[in-house]
Amino acid sequence: MQNLKALIFDIDGTFSDTERDGHRIAFNKTFKEAGLNWHWDIDTYGKLLEVTGGKERIRHFINKSQPAFDSPDNLNEFILKLHKTKTRHFIALLKSGAIPLRPGVERLLKEARSEGLRMAIATTTTLENVTTLLTATLGKDSINWFEVIAAGDVVPGKKPAPDIYLYALKHMGLNADDCIAFEDSENGLLSSTGAGIKTIVTINDYTRQQGFGGAALVLDQLGEPEVAFSVLGGDAGSATYVDVTLIRKLFTN
Ligand code: XBP
Ligand code: MG
């Protein structure tokens, strides 16, 4: 019988609700600082999330909503500069403690470690955002909890492409059927299942309307012993929060 060897986690929307209160705020601060009259309100940003990657999202916005925009210098340079500023603002928000972990994340990570499960991260966001989030929420040492932190531009194709998960598997020396992944979005689920990895989805306000066919389990959150999750898809049996026992059950199903 195949044994579960590792858990692979998405970051944005899964570890923390970083999009609405983090990245979006950082983008808007950046646009203001650059003297641009762009503002991404909550709904606009929700639509822009169909494109993964901050740089790609700016380009998509310019192409789709700012056709007349004449970038000061070459567009790539311009977007790179904006994105660097945006990352600086996002990092400051993380360090201020404004972005906590979602319910159950810290507990599950610690339980998985105590059960000897290997862990990795597969995210579209910039590496510095990941290490700062981990340090701000779990302490600097938590960066070492993850054998591989696959992030951002280390791969050519961003989610929904499977590249970032394939990268994590390759660097862990594991196969897809040794692992379970955790995601929050349709693009993320397509990426993890595209790499052949069984996936548990925890939705959030931006992703609750998305399609999660192919997920092993769809929940509103990981839950806590005292805070039960809601099952939106799949079978969690009598479990009321995600723990290693439930994950192992889903793995063997
Ligand atoms: C979600 C993304 C990221 C962030 C912005 O990442 O699409 O691009 O929205 O981060 P995840 P950057 O795979 O963790 O859900 O600006 O650093 O790209
Ligand atoms: Mg995500």
Side-chain angles (χ1 to χ4, degrees), residues 175-219:
N175 299 318
D177 58 11
D178 292 323
C179 308
I180 285 251
F182 291 80
E183 270 288 352
D184 72 301
S185 68
E186 186 172 355
N187 279 331
L189 177 65
L190 290 169
S191 177
S192 56
T193 53
I197 307 172
K198 246 183 200 177
T199 303
I200 296 172
V201 170
T202 51
I203 63 156
N204 54 56
D205 289 346
Y206 271 138
T207 66
R208 69 177 63 254
Q209 305 304 333
Q210 295 179 357
F212 297 112
L217 191 61
V218 185
L219 305 167

Side-chain angles (χ1 to χ4, degrees), residues 117-135:
L117 286 173
R118 298 162 66 184
M119 300 196 297
I121 285 170
T123 175
T124 311
T125 198
T126 308
L127 179 59
E128 192 189 357
N129 294 344
V130 181
T131 53
T132 307
L133 175 69
L134 292 174
T135 303

Side-chain angles (χ1 to χ4, degrees), residues 10-14 19 159 183-185 188 204:
D10 169 50
I11 291 288
D12 292 302
T14 301
E19 297 291 5
K159 298 176 183 178
E183 270 288 352
D184 72 301
S185 68
N204 54 56

